[in-house]
Amino acid sequence: GREILSQGSSGNAFYIGYEPTSRSFRAGDGWATTGVPFPLDKWTHVAVVKTGGNTLLYTNGVLARSKGSTIPNPAASGFFDLGRQYANNAEFWSGKIDEVRVWNVARDATQILLNFNRRLSGTNSGLTARSRFDEGAGSVVLESSPSQNHGLLYNGGGRTDSDASINLPVPG
């Protein structure tokens, strides 16, 4: 597989990535095969939402699959990795990443649909991390939430202008 983002350790990891055997999304050790087809060579917005009793996978603002149960929280130790598998494993994302958002609240279907293709202010309630990957050049990826946890691109990682439609900013 290939991970877009990941955190945790073996047996207790969260990740969003590509499962090559089934050609589908995977969402952590608790949902390794979602059955949702992974569209290759096409920009796609992906959101995984964990509620008190369920885990939901959205693509382009629309619910694609409900697991019917929750997935475990990742181990708190280790880094939050973008473009690679957790724990320094050698699974690197070979595609492009345009923006990553991490929330500490479960976003509902309406919030996801209305905001998946909008620029956020970065001060939105519950937004704990946001990297837009639009710095232009260099190896630094700026994180624009109040936590300011900037990152670095490794292993030939690069950035590109997205062809994704972006609407007006959403107020904080």
Side-chain angles (χ1 to χ4, degrees):
R2 303 283 182 204
E3 268 41 280
I4 299 167
L5 57 83
S6 67
Q7 182 178 17
S9 58
S10 182
N12 189 19
F14 172 76
Y15 42 85
I16 297 175
Y18 172 67
E19 204 295 305
T21 304
S22 65
R23 296 183 176 174
S24 66
F25 285 98
R26 58 192 204 176
D29 289 343
W31 203 8
T33 305
T34 66
V36 175
F38 194 103
L40 299 174
D41 299 320
K42 181 179 179 184
W43 183 90
T44 303
H45 174 271
V46 181
V48 175
V49 177
K50 180 181 172 183
T51 68
N54 202 0
T55 307
L56 309 164
L57 175 67
Y58 293 82
T59 57
N60 294 326
V62 177
L63 179 64
R65 185 70 35 98
S66 170
K67 184 176 187 320
S69 61
T70 61
I71 58 176
N73 288 327
S77 61
F79 292 100
F80 180 76
D81 292 313
L82 298 175
R84 71 174 300 160
Q85 190 179 33
Y86 58 87
N88 294 323
N89 292 318
E91 267 187 30
F92 296 97
W93 181 244
S94 59
K96 297 174 182 172
I97 301 172
D98 183 40
E99 183 171 10
V100 173
R101 303 172 187 170
V102 178
W103 301 84
N104 64 5
V105 295
R107 306 280 284 169
D108 65 35
T110 301
Q111 291 170 315
I112 291 171
L113 180 61
L114 293 177
N115 296 300
F116 83 93
N117 64 347
R118 293 182 182 265
R119 288 203 191 275
L120 301 181
S121 67
T123 59
N124 307 75
S125 178
L127 183 64
T128 61
R130 178 176 146 245
S131 295
R132 290 179 34 192
F133 289 83
D134 62 356
E135 294 80 10
S139 61
V140 174
V141 176
L142 298 177
E143 198 279 297
S144 55
S145 75
S147 64
Q148 298 285 299
N149 291 318
H150 306 308
L152 294 174
L153 293 172
Y154 288 101
N155 204 42
R159 58 186 102 245
T160 185
D161 289 333
S162 170
D163 61 356
S165 62
I166 298 293
N167 296 319
L168 297 174
V170 174

